[in-house]
Amino acid sequence: MPAPGGHGSGGILPGIALAVAAAVAMGGAAPALKALGAAGLSAVNIIQARAVVGAALLLLTAAAVHRGRLRIRARDWWLVLLYGTVSLALNQVAFTMALTRLPVGIALLVEYLSPVLVALWVRLVQRKRLSGLVWVGIALTLAGLALTGRVWSSGGGLDRAGLALALLAALTLAGRFLLAERGLRVYEPLVMSAWGTAVGAAALTLVGLFEPFPFDALRRETALSGWSLPVWALVIWVGVIGMAGGLALGVAAQRRLPPTSASLMLTLEVVAGAVLAYLVLGEVLTPPQLAGSLLMLLGIVLAQLAALRRRPGGRLTDPAPDGGRGSGRRR
């Protein structure tokens, strides 16, 4: 199977647009997720349902679009298995469990330390230079996330097990971008996301041995912004938009963005979720939360400006000094 190309295919601006769309898709599922919780589904049941729906849609789409190019080489299955079980399934379970022990703002802030972890990996392990603006952008984004998540309202001491679970969520989320980067050297974004989601869904289905999915709940109805909607429709919403759409768009964006940029762009999910919660649920953002959202946007813009400034024409790949035989990439 020919390599589909590395970072820079189509330039950085389309990558940013795809990453924004991915964050909006993921954050856009927030009201439906909240309604499913109100309908009596546990957090584990919700992630099981959306993973299965998302995997089915992505596999069908990949089969229709790429036809005979769905095969994963035997020597690459370790990558797909890690991507699906660790960076997708374990990440969702760890974050969900962290939410049961920590305030939402704290859990989000710790999980979204992932851009810092990705940047440290790129700098220390891959030994690639990072612009100072990238680090400034990460710092501003985390500060904005702290304001948006209202971390000051956490009260007393924080649960250590909850913090450990949130940190595990951060590590696995960082691994998602690094594993996807490696997989995209060989496989199309849709193929990578389809197989990864399928493996993750299979792993989450096994969790059903301990917490079976209540299929009778699909026939119930629940309220959302004054409307009575069937639970099965909300499951499709979170599976199609939040899981399949968000993941496929995010992986497609990463073909054009390095993992440092892609992981930072994902934090926009928090802003998108807050905006949609205001529009759909009437949840009003406080002035500090609005300021935090703007600070996050500023941090992300600075980090992306650093990438654009270092790559004339908005492309991520500089000409290789050896006439095209090397990568010549700098993040």
Side-chain angles (χ1 to χ4, degrees):
M1 180 183 297
H7 303 305
S9 303
I12 190 174
L13 293 179
I16 291 175
L18 285 167
V20 170
V24 171
M26 293 179 181
L33 290 170
K34 188 167 184 177
L36 286 172
L41 268 68
S42 70
V44 172
N45 291 149
I46 292 171
I47 63 175
Q48 287 172 333
R50 73 176 182 177
V52 170
V53 172
L57 177 62
L58 285 173
L59 281 173
L60 289 173
T61 305
V65 172
H66 295 299
R67 296 182 181 273
R69 292 180 290 165
L70 276 177
R71 187 176 65 86
I72 301 294
R73 297 180 302 194
R75 65 175 179 268
D76 292 332
W77 268 108
W78 68 270
L79 176 66
V80 176
L81 290 172
L82 277 179
Y83 182 66
T85 58
V86 175
S87 69
L88 292 178
L90 181 58
N91 169 261
Q92 293 182 75
V93 172
F95 182 69
T96 300
M97 293 177 66
L99 284 177
T100 65
R101 295 173 173 268
L102 296 175
V104 174
I106 296 293
L108 281 171
L109 183 61
V110 176
E111 185 187 34
Y112 282 111
L113 288 173
S114 56
V116 179
L117 300 176
V118 171
L120 290 173
W121 179 275
V122 170
R123 182 67 186 94
L124 300 177
V125 179
Q126 296 181 349
R127 298 192 178 279
K128 298 180 184 294
R129 292 184 59 189
L130 292 171
S131 167
L133 276 180
V134 172
W135 296 106
V136 172
I138 289 174
L140 288 176
T141 301
L142 291 177
L145 184 60
L147 287 172
T148 305
R150 298 187 301 180
V151 297
W152 60 85
S153 63
S154 60
L158 296 174
D159 185 273
R160 292 183 180 180
L163 286 173
L165 287 165
L167 182 57
L168 178 59
L171 289 168
T172 52
L173 185 57
R176 181 184 307 177
F177 297 100
L178 298 172
L179 290 168
E181 180 197 27
R182 184 178 181 116
L184 288 173
R185 298 173 191 172
V186 179
Y187 302 104
E188 295 288 343
L190 188 54
V191 173
M192 187 70 189
S193 56
W195 280 115
T197 310
V199 170
L204 289 167
T205 301
L206 292 177
V207 178
L209 297 175
F210 306 97
E211 189 167 352
F213 184 83
F215 287 96
D216 60 304
L218 296 175
R219 296 192 296 269
R220 302 176 195 160
E221 291 195 351
T222 188
L224 177 60
S225 189
W227 295 81
S228 182
L229 298 174
V231 169
W232 63 263
L234 295 174
V235 167
I236 292 176
W237 178 352
V238 299
V240 172
I241 298 177
M243 188 70 180
L247 186 62
L249 288 167
V251 175
Q254 200 171 332
R255 171 178 282 190
R256 296 166 173 83
L257 298 174
T260 47
S261 293
S263 60
L264 198 58
M265 293 292 294
L266 186 66
T267 59
L268 283 174
E269 176 187 351
V270 179
V271 178
V275 170
L276 198 63
Y278 167 72
L279 295 175
V280 176
L281 303 176
E283 295 182 356
V284 180
L285 292 177
T286 64
Q289 287 178 307
L290 288 171
S293 298
L294 293 175
L295 201 58
M296 290 176 67
L297 292 174
L298 176 60
I300 290 169
V301 168
L302 286 179
Q304 306 313 323
L305 284 177
L308 282 169
R309 189 181 66 178
R310 296 175 68 86
R311 294 162 179 85
R315 296 188 64 82
L316 279 167
T317 306
D318 295 329
D322 56 357
R325 293 182 297 276
S327 64
R329 293 198 300 267
R330 292 178 70 186
R331 288 172 172 77

